[in-house]
Amino acid sequence: MAPTMLVRDAMSTVVLTIGPAHTLRQAARMMSARRIGAAIVLDPDTSGLGILTERDILNSVGAGEDPDRETAQGHTTTDVVFAAPEWTLEDAACAMAHGGFRHLIVLDGQGPVGIVSVRDIIRRWAPLRAGRRQPGVLAG
């Protein structure tokens, strides 16, 4: 039986943190350069913590809003569900499925320590489920 995998085992610890005044274009450029789908939005004036995702940016652009004028503040989710590093990946997957989102900010007692995404969970689970075989590779 495989050991229980924890959020700390799958989360990305390279986290992009932006401010609420960053434009959506600036956020998109930084997210694209790092090949990530979400940024933590930290508001120093309110000590608030939120998340801006690629979907938030896509929805704004799709609505015809100008990504050079729209700021992260207007598109940040502030009602965030947080994960702890000690959560199991199953706990994280259930929270995501229940809430209808694809990223969780991971907090310890000091603040944000990472982000775990659906992709991170799949990367950890897929090799275990497939018996470590590569998809699309035919045995010769």
Short mmCIF file of all heavy atoms in Angstrom, two decimals, residues 25-85:
data_model
loop_
_atom_site.label_atom_id
_atom_site.label_comp_id
_atom_site.label_asym_id
_atom_site.label_seq_id
_atom_site.Cartn_x
_atom_site.Cartn_y
_atom_site.Cartn_z
N ARG A 25 -2.58 42.55 -16.97
CA ARG A 25 -1.52 42.22 -17.94
C ARG A 25 -0.21 41.92 -17.21
O ARG A 25 0.50 40.98 -17.55
CB ARG A 25 -1.33 43.31 -18.97
CG ARG A 25 -0.30 42.87 -20.04
CD ARG A 25 -0.09 43.89 -21.14
NE ARG A 25 -1.30 44.37 -21.77
CZ ARG A 25 -1.97 43.74 -22.75
NH1 ARG A 25 -1.56 42.57 -23.17
NH2 ARG A 25 -3.05 44.29 -23.27
N GLN A 26 0.14 42.74 -16.23
CA GLN A 26 1.36 42.48 -15.46
C GLN A 26 1.29 41.12 -14.78
O GLN A 26 2.26 40.35 -14.81
CB GLN A 26 1.58 43.57 -14.41
CG GLN A 26 1.94 44.92 -14.97
CD GLN A 26 1.90 46.01 -13.91
OE1 GLN A 26 1.07 46.00 -13.00
NE2 GLN A 26 2.81 46.98 -14.04
N ALA A 27 0.16 40.84 -14.17
CA ALA A 27 -0.01 39.55 -13.49
C ALA A 27 0.10 38.40 -14.49
O ALA A 27 0.79 37.40 -14.23
CB ALA A 27 -1.35 39.51 -12.77
N ALA A 28 -0.54 38.56 -15.65
CA ALA A 28 -0.50 37.50 -16.67
C ALA A 28 0.92 37.28 -17.16
O ALA A 28 1.34 36.13 -17.35
CB ALA A 28 -1.42 37.88 -17.84
N ARG A 29 1.67 38.33 -17.36
CA ARG A 29 3.07 38.19 -17.81
C ARG A 29 3.90 37.42 -16.79
O ARG A 29 4.68 36.54 -17.15
CB ARG A 29 3.70 39.56 -18.05
CG ARG A 29 3.33 40.17 -19.36
CD ARG A 29 4.12 41.45 -19.60
NE ARG A 29 3.71 42.04 -20.86
CZ ARG A 29 3.50 43.32 -21.05
NH1 ARG A 29 3.69 44.18 -20.07
NH2 ARG A 29 3.13 43.76 -22.23
N MET A 30 3.75 37.78 -15.51
CA MET A 30 4.53 37.11 -14.47
C MET A 30 4.11 35.65 -14.33
O MET A 30 4.96 34.77 -14.16
CB MET A 30 4.38 37.86 -13.14
CG MET A 30 5.09 39.21 -13.14
SD MET A 30 5.00 40.03 -11.53
CE MET A 30 3.38 40.79 -11.64
N MET A 31 2.81 35.40 -14.40
CA MET A 31 2.33 34.02 -14.29
C MET A 31 2.80 33.20 -15.48
O MET A 31 3.26 32.06 -15.32
CB MET A 31 0.80 34.02 -14.17
CG MET A 31 0.31 34.55 -12.84
SD MET A 31 -1.45 35.00 -12.80
CE MET A 31 -2.25 33.46 -13.16
N SER A 32 2.74 33.77 -16.67
CA SER A 32 3.18 33.08 -17.88
C SER A 32 4.67 32.77 -17.83
O SER A 32 5.10 31.67 -18.18
CB SER A 32 2.84 33.92 -19.11
OG SER A 32 3.29 33.29 -20.28
N ALA A 33 5.47 33.74 -17.41
CA ALA A 33 6.93 33.55 -17.34
C ALA A 33 7.29 32.42 -16.38
O ALA A 33 8.27 31.71 -16.60
CB ALA A 33 7.60 34.85 -16.92
N ARG A 34 6.50 32.25 -15.34
CA ARG A 34 6.78 31.21 -14.34
C ARG A 34 6.02 29.90 -14.62
O ARG A 34 6.18 28.94 -13.89
CB ARG A 34 6.43 31.73 -12.95
CG ARG A 34 7.39 32.79 -12.47
CD ARG A 34 6.84 33.53 -11.26
NE ARG A 34 7.74 34.54 -10.75
CZ ARG A 34 7.91 35.75 -11.27
NH1 ARG A 34 7.24 36.10 -12.36
NH2 ARG A 34 8.73 36.61 -10.74
N ARG A 35 5.17 29.95 -15.65
CA ARG A 35 4.36 28.79 -16.04
C ARG A 35 3.49 28.30 -14.87
O ARG A 35 3.47 27.12 -14.55
CB ARG A 35 5.24 27.68 -16.57
CG ARG A 35 6.00 28.09 -17.82
CD ARG A 35 6.84 26.99 -18.33
NE ARG A 35 5.99 25.80 -18.50
CZ ARG A 35 6.07 24.97 -19.51
NH1 ARG A 35 6.95 25.17 -20.43
NH2 ARG A 35 5.28 23.94 -19.59
N ILE A 36 2.80 29.28 -14.26
CA ILE A 36 1.91 28.97 -13.15
C ILE A 36 0.53 29.52 -13.44
O ILE A 36 0.38 30.43 -14.25
CB ILE A 36 2.44 29.53 -11.80
CG1 ILE A 36 2.65 31.05 -11.88
CG2 ILE A 36 3.74 28.81 -11.41
CD1 ILE A 36 3.02 31.69 -10.58
N GLY A 37 -0.47 28.99 -12.76
CA GLY A 37 -1.84 29.37 -13.03
C GLY A 37 -2.48 30.26 -11.98
O GLY A 37 -3.67 30.58 -12.09
N ALA A 38 -1.69 30.67 -10.96
CA ALA A 38 -2.28 31.50 -9.90
C ALA A 38 -1.19 32.31 -9.21
O ALA A 38 -0.03 31.90 -9.17
CB ALA A 38 -3.00 30.62 -8.88
N ALA A 39 -1.61 33.45 -8.68
CA ALA A 39 -0.72 34.30 -7.90
C ALA A 39 -1.42 34.64 -6.58
O ALA A 39 -2.64 34.82 -6.55
CB ALA A 39 -0.40 35.58 -8.65
N ILE A 40 -0.65 34.73 -5.53
CA ILE A 40 -1.17 35.20 -4.25
C ILE A 40 -1.18 36.72 -4.30
O ILE A 40 -0.19 37.34 -4.69
CB ILE A 40 -0.31 34.70 -3.08
CG1 ILE A 40 -0.42 33.18 -2.96
CG2 ILE A 40 -0.73 35.38 -1.78
CD1 ILE A 40 0.48 32.57 -1.91
N VAL A 41 -2.30 37.31 -3.93
CA VAL A 41 -2.43 38.77 -3.90
C VAL A 41 -2.40 39.18 -2.44
O VAL A 41 -3.26 38.79 -1.65
CB VAL A 41 -3.73 39.25 -4.58
CG1 VAL A 41 -3.81 40.77 -4.54
CG2 VAL A 41 -3.80 38.73 -6.01
N LEU A 42 -1.37 39.93 -2.09
CA LEU A 42 -1.18 40.38 -0.71
C LEU A 42 -1.42 41.87 -0.65
O LEU A 42 -0.74 42.64 -1.34
CB LEU A 42 0.24 40.04 -0.25
CG LEU A 42 0.60 40.39 1.18
CD1 LEU A 42 -0.31 39.66 2.16
CD2 LEU A 42 2.05 40.02 1.45
N ASP A 43 -2.39 42.27 0.15
CA ASP A 43 -2.71 43.69 0.30
C ASP A 43 -2.08 44.18 1.60
O ASP A 43 -2.58 43.88 2.69
CB ASP A 43 -4.22 43.89 0.33
CG ASP A 43 -4.62 45.36 0.30
OD1 ASP A 43 -3.77 46.23 0.60
OD2 ASP A 43 -5.78 45.64 -0.04
N PRO A 44 -0.98 44.94 1.52
CA PRO A 44 -0.30 45.38 2.73
C PRO A 44 -1.14 46.34 3.58
O PRO A 44 -0.93 46.44 4.78
CB PRO A 44 0.97 46.07 2.22
CG PRO A 44 0.70 46.37 0.79
CD PRO A 44 -0.33 45.40 0.31
N ASP A 45 -2.10 47.03 2.96
CA ASP A 45 -2.93 47.97 3.72
C ASP A 45 -3.93 47.26 4.61
O ASP A 45 -4.29 47.76 5.67
CB ASP A 45 -3.68 48.91 2.77
CG ASP A 45 -2.73 49.83 2.02
OD1 ASP A 45 -1.62 50.10 2.53
OD2 ASP A 45 -3.08 50.27 0.91
N THR A 46 -4.40 46.10 4.19
CA THR A 46 -5.42 45.39 4.96
C THR A 46 -4.90 44.07 5.53
O THR A 46 -5.62 43.39 6.25
CB THR A 46 -6.63 45.06 4.08
OG1 THR A 46 -6.23 44.15 3.06
CG2 THR A 46 -7.24 46.31 3.47
N SER A 47 -3.65 43.73 5.21
CA SER A 47 -3.07 42.43 5.56
C SER A 47 -3.92 41.29 5.00
O SER A 47 -3.91 40.18 5.52
CB SER A 47 -2.93 42.28 7.09
OG SER A 47 -2.05 43.26 7.57
N GLY A 48 -4.67 41.61 3.95
CA GLY A 48 -5.52 40.60 3.32
C GLY A 48 -4.73 39.73 2.37
O GLY A 48 -3.73 40.14 1.80
N LEU A 49 -5.22 38.51 2.22
CA LEU A 49 -4.58 37.52 1.36
C LEU A 49 -5.64 36.97 0.43
O LEU A 49 -6.70 36.53 0.87
CB LEU A 49 -4.01 36.41 2.24
CG LEU A 49 -3.04 35.43 1.65
CD1 LEU A 49 -1.77 36.14 1.21
CD2 LEU A 49 -2.70 34.37 2.68
N GLY A 50 -5.36 37.02 -0.87
CA GLY A 50 -6.31 36.50 -1.85
C GLY A 50 -5.57 35.77 -2.94
O GLY A 50 -4.35 35.60 -2.89
N ILE A 51 -6.32 35.33 -3.94
CA ILE A 51 -5.72 34.60 -5.05
C ILE A 51 -6.28 35.13 -6.37
O ILE A 51 -7.48 35.44 -6.47
CB ILE A 51 -5.94 33.09 -4.90
CG1 ILE A 51 -5.11 32.28 -5.91
CG2 ILE A 51 -7.42 32.72 -4.96
CD1 ILE A 51 -5.02 30.80 -5.59
N LEU A 52 -5.41 35.27 -7.34
CA LEU A 52 -5.78 35.66 -8.69
C LEU A 52 -5.36 34.51 -9.59
O LEU A 52 -4.20 34.10 -9.57
CB LEU A 52 -5.05 36.95 -9.12
CG LEU A 52 -5.33 37.43 -10.54
CD1 LEU A 52 -6.74 38.03 -10.64
CD2 LEU A 52 -4.29 38.44 -10.99
N THR A 53 -6.30 33.99 -10.36
CA THR A 53 -6.01 32.84 -11.21
C THR A 53 -6.08 33.21 -12.68
O THR A 53 -6.63 34.25 -13.06
CB THR A 53 -6.99 31.68 -10.94
OG1 THR A 53 -8.30 32.07 -11.39
CG2 THR A 53 -7.01 31.30 -9.47
N GLU A 54 -5.54 32.32 -13.50
CA GLU A 54 -5.62 32.54 -14.94
C GLU A 54 -7.07 32.64 -15.40
O GLU A 54 -7.38 33.39 -16.31
CB GLU A 54 -4.87 31.42 -15.68
CG GLU A 54 -5.40 30.04 -15.37
CD GLU A 54 -4.43 28.92 -15.73
OE1 GLU A 54 -3.38 29.18 -16.34
OE2 GLU A 54 -4.74 27.76 -15.40
N ARG A 55 -7.95 31.93 -14.75
CA ARG A 55 -9.37 32.00 -15.10
C ARG A 55 -9.94 33.39 -14.80
O ARG A 55 -10.75 33.91 -15.57
CB ARG A 55 -10.16 30.93 -14.36
CG ARG A 55 -11.64 30.98 -14.75
CD ARG A 55 -12.37 29.74 -14.35
NE ARG A 55 -11.84 28.63 -15.12
CZ ARG A 55 -12.16 27.37 -14.92
NH1 ARG A 55 -13.03 27.06 -13.99
NH2 ARG A 55 -11.66 26.42 -15.66
N ASP A 56 -9.51 34.01 -13.70
CA ASP A 56 -9.96 35.37 -13.38
C ASP A 56 -9.55 36.34 -14.49
O ASP A 56 -10.34 37.20 -14.90
CB ASP A 56 -9.36 35.84 -12.05
CG ASP A 56 -9.81 35.01 -10.87
OD1 ASP A 56 -10.97 34.55 -10.85
OD2 ASP A 56 -8.98 34.81 -9.95
N ILE A 57 -8.33 36.20 -14.97
CA ILE A 57 -7.83 37.06 -16.04
C ILE A 57 -8.60 36.78 -17.33
O ILE A 57 -9.03 37.70 -18.03
CB ILE A 57 -6.31 36.88 -16.23
CG1 ILE A 57 -5.58 37.34 -14.96
CG2 ILE A 57 -5.82 37.64 -17.46
CD1 ILE A 57 -4.11 36.97 -14.91
N LEU A 58 -8.79 35.51 -17.65
CA LEU A 58 -9.53 35.12 -18.85
C LEU A 58 -10.96 35.66 -18.83
O LEU A 58 -11.44 36.19 -19.84
CB LEU A 58 -9.54 33.59 -18.97
CG LEU A 58 -10.19 33.00 -20.20
CD1 LEU A 58 -9.40 33.35 -21.45
CD2 LEU A 58 -10.28 31.49 -20.06
N ASN A 59 -11.63 35.56 -17.69
CA ASN A 59 -13.00 36.07 -17.58
C ASN A 59 -13.04 37.58 -17.82
O ASN A 59 -13.96 38.08 -18.47
CB ASN A 59 -13.60 35.73 -16.22
CG ASN A 59 -13.95 34.27 -16.08
OD1 ASN A 59 -14.10 33.54 -17.06
ND2 ASN A 59 -14.06 33.82 -14.84
N SER A 60 -12.06 38.30 -17.30
CA SER A 60 -12.03 39.75 -17.48
C SER A 60 -11.82 40.11 -18.95
O SER A 60 -12.54 40.95 -19.50
CB SER A 60 -10.91 40.35 -16.63
OG SER A 60 -10.78 41.72 -16.89
N VAL A 61 -10.84 39.48 -19.58
CA VAL A 61 -10.56 39.76 -20.99
C VAL A 61 -11.76 39.35 -21.86
O VAL A 61 -12.16 40.08 -22.77
CB VAL A 61 -9.26 39.06 -21.45
CG1 VAL A 61 -9.08 39.18 -22.95
CG2 VAL A 61 -8.06 39.66 -20.72
N GLY A 62 -12.35 38.21 -21.53
CA GLY A 62 -13.53 37.74 -22.28
C GLY A 62 -14.71 38.68 -22.15
O GLY A 62 -15.55 38.77 -23.06
N ALA A 63 -14.78 39.41 -21.05
CA ALA A 63 -15.86 40.38 -20.84
C ALA A 63 -15.55 41.72 -21.52
O ALA A 63 -16.34 42.66 -21.39
CB ALA A 63 -16.10 40.59 -19.35
N GLY A 64 -14.41 41.80 -22.20
CA GLY A 64 -14.06 43.03 -22.91
C GLY A 64 -13.35 44.07 -22.06
O GLY A 64 -13.17 45.21 -22.49
N GLU A 65 -12.93 43.70 -20.86
CA GLU A 65 -12.22 44.64 -20.00
C GLU A 65 -10.77 44.78 -20.45
O GLU A 65 -10.19 43.85 -21.02
CB GLU A 65 -12.29 44.18 -18.55
CG GLU A 65 -13.72 44.17 -18.02
CD GLU A 65 -13.86 43.58 -16.63
OE1 GLU A 65 -13.00 42.80 -16.20
OE2 GLU A 65 -14.87 43.89 -15.98
N ASP A 66 -10.20 45.93 -20.21
CA ASP A 66 -8.83 46.25 -20.64
C ASP A 66 -7.84 45.72 -19.59
O ASP A 66 -7.81 46.22 -18.46
CB ASP A 66 -8.69 47.76 -20.79
CG ASP A 66 -7.33 48.21 -21.28
OD1 ASP A 66 -6.39 47.38 -21.33
OD2 ASP A 66 -7.20 49.40 -21.62
N PRO A 67 -7.00 44.75 -19.95
CA PRO A 67 -6.05 44.19 -18.98
C PRO A 67 -4.97 45.17 -18.54
O PRO A 67 -4.27 44.92 -17.55
CB PRO A 67 -5.44 43.00 -19.72
CG PRO A 67 -5.62 43.29 -21.17
CD PRO A 67 -6.89 44.12 -21.26
N ASP A 68 -4.84 46.30 -19.25
CA ASP A 68 -3.89 47.33 -18.84
C ASP A 68 -4.51 48.31 -17.84
O ASP A 68 -3.79 49.10 -17.22
CB ASP A 68 -3.35 48.09 -20.05
CG ASP A 68 -2.48 47.22 -20.92
OD1 ASP A 68 -1.60 46.52 -20.36
OD2 ASP A 68 -2.68 47.19 -22.15
N ARG A 69 -5.82 48.27 -17.70
CA ARG A 69 -6.51 49.16 -16.75
C ARG A 69 -7.07 48.40 -15.55
O ARG A 69 -7.16 48.95 -14.46
CB ARG A 69 -7.65 49.90 -17.44
CG ARG A 69 -7.17 50.92 -18.44
CD ARG A 69 -8.35 51.61 -19.10
NE ARG A 69 -7.89 52.78 -19.80
CZ ARG A 69 -8.03 54.02 -19.33
NH1 ARG A 69 -8.64 54.23 -18.22
NH2 ARG A 69 -7.57 55.03 -20.03
N GLU A 70 -7.47 47.17 -15.78
CA GLU A 70 -8.01 46.36 -14.69
C GLU A 70 -6.88 45.92 -13.77
O GLU A 70 -5.81 45.51 -14.23
CB GLU A 70 -8.72 45.12 -15.24
CG GLU A 70 -9.98 45.42 -16.02
CD GLU A 70 -11.06 46.07 -15.17
OE1 GLU A 70 -11.32 45.57 -14.05
OE2 GLU A 70 -11.64 47.07 -15.62
N THR A 71 -7.14 45.98 -12.47
CA THR A 71 -6.11 45.60 -11.50
C THR A 71 -6.49 44.29 -10.80
O THR A 71 -7.65 43.88 -10.80
CB THR A 71 -5.90 46.69 -10.44
OG1 THR A 71 -7.12 46.88 -9.73
CG2 THR A 71 -5.43 47.99 -11.07
N ALA A 72 -5.50 43.70 -10.20
CA ALA A 72 -5.71 42.45 -9.47
C ALA A 72 -6.78 42.64 -8.39
O ALA A 72 -7.59 41.74 -8.16
CB ALA A 72 -4.40 41.98 -8.84
N GLN A 73 -6.81 43.80 -7.78
CA GLN A 73 -7.75 44.06 -6.70
C GLN A 73 -9.20 43.79 -7.10
O GLN A 73 -9.97 43.24 -6.33
CB GLN A 73 -7.60 45.50 -6.23
CG GLN A 73 -8.52 45.87 -5.08
CD GLN A 73 -8.23 47.28 -4.56
OE1 GLN A 73 -7.56 48.07 -5.23
NE2 GLN A 73 -8.72 47.56 -3.38
N GLY A 74 -9.55 44.15 -8.32
CA GLY A 74 -10.92 43.98 -8.77
C GLY A 74 -11.28 42.57 -9.18
O GLY A 74 -12.44 42.29 -9.46
N HIS A 75 -10.30 41.67 -9.22
CA HIS A 75 -10.54 40.32 -9.72
C HIS A 75 -10.02 39.23 -8.79
O HIS A 75 -10.06 38.05 -9.13
CB HIS A 75 -9.91 40.18 -11.12
CG HIS A 75 -10.49 41.15 -12.08
ND1 HIS A 75 -11.68 40.92 -12.75
CD2 HIS A 75 -10.09 42.40 -12.45
CE1 HIS A 75 -11.96 41.97 -13.50
NE2 HIS A 75 -11.02 42.88 -13.33
N THR A 76 -9.55 39.65 -7.63
CA THR A 76 -8.99 38.71 -6.66
C THR A 76 -10.09 38.04 -5.86
O THR A 76 -11.04 38.69 -5.43
CB THR A 76 -8.05 39.46 -5.69
OG1 THR A 76 -6.96 39.99 -6.44
CG2 THR A 76 -7.51 38.55 -4.61
N THR A 77 -9.95 36.74 -5.67
CA THR A 77 -10.84 36.02 -4.77
C THR A 77 -10.28 36.18 -3.37
O THR A 77 -9.13 35.79 -3.10
CB THR A 77 -10.90 34.52 -5.14
OG1 THR A 77 -11.39 34.40 -6.47
CG2 THR A 77 -11.79 33.74 -4.18
N THR A 78 -11.07 36.78 -2.50
CA THR A 78 -10.61 37.00 -1.12
C THR A 78 -11.26 36.03 -0.15
O THR A 78 -10.79 35.88 0.97
CB THR A 78 -10.89 38.45 -0.68
OG1 THR A 78 -12.28 38.73 -0.85
CG2 THR A 78 -10.05 39.43 -1.49
N ASP A 79 -12.32 35.38 -0.57
CA ASP A 79 -12.97 34.36 0.26
C ASP A 79 -12.29 33.02 -0.07
O ASP A 79 -12.85 32.19 -0.77
CB ASP A 79 -14.47 34.32 -0.05
CG ASP A 79 -15.21 33.36 0.86
OD1 ASP A 79 -14.68 33.01 1.92
OD2 ASP A 79 -16.33 32.97 0.49
N VAL A 80 -11.06 32.88 0.41
CA VAL A 80 -10.19 31.79 0.00
C VAL A 80 -10.27 30.63 0.98
O VAL A 80 -10.33 30.83 2.19
CB VAL A 80 -8.72 32.30 -0.09
CG1 VAL A 80 -7.77 31.19 -0.48
CG2 VAL A 80 -8.63 33.46 -1.06
N VAL A 81 -10.25 29.42 0.43
CA VAL A 81 -10.10 28.22 1.24
C VAL A 81 -8.61 27.92 1.27
O VAL A 81 -7.97 27.82 0.22
CB VAL A 81 -10.89 27.03 0.64
CG1 VAL A 81 -10.63 25.76 1.42
CG2 VAL A 81 -12.37 27.35 0.60
N PHE A 82 -8.06 27.80 2.46
CA PHE A 82 -6.64 27.54 2.61
C PHE A 82 -6.42 26.08 2.98
O PHE A 82 -7.28 25.45 3.59
CB PHE A 82 -6.04 28.42 3.71
CG PHE A 82 -6.15 29.89 3.42
CD1 PHE A 82 -7.15 30.66 4.00
CD2 PHE A 82 -5.25 30.50 2.57
CE1 PHE A 82 -7.25 32.02 3.74
CE2 PHE A 82 -5.35 31.86 2.29
CZ PHE A 82 -6.35 32.62 2.87
N ALA A 83 -5.25 25.56 2.63
CA ALA A 83 -4.85 24.21 3.01
C ALA A 83 -3.67 24.31 3.98
O ALA A 83 -2.97 25.32 4.00
CB ALA A 83 -4.44 23.41 1.78
N ALA A 84 -3.47 23.27 4.74
CA ALA A 84 -2.30 23.15 5.60
C ALA A 84 -1.35 22.13 4.97
O ALA A 84 -1.80 21.21 4.28
CB ALA A 84 -2.71 22.69 7.00
N PRO A 85 -0.06 22.28 5.19
CA PRO A 85 0.90 21.33 4.62
C PRO A 85 0.62 19.88 5.04
O PRO A 85 0.95 18.96 4.30
CB PRO A 85 2.25 21.80 5.16
CG PRO A 85 2.06 23.23 5.54
CD PRO A 85 0.62 23.35 5.94
#
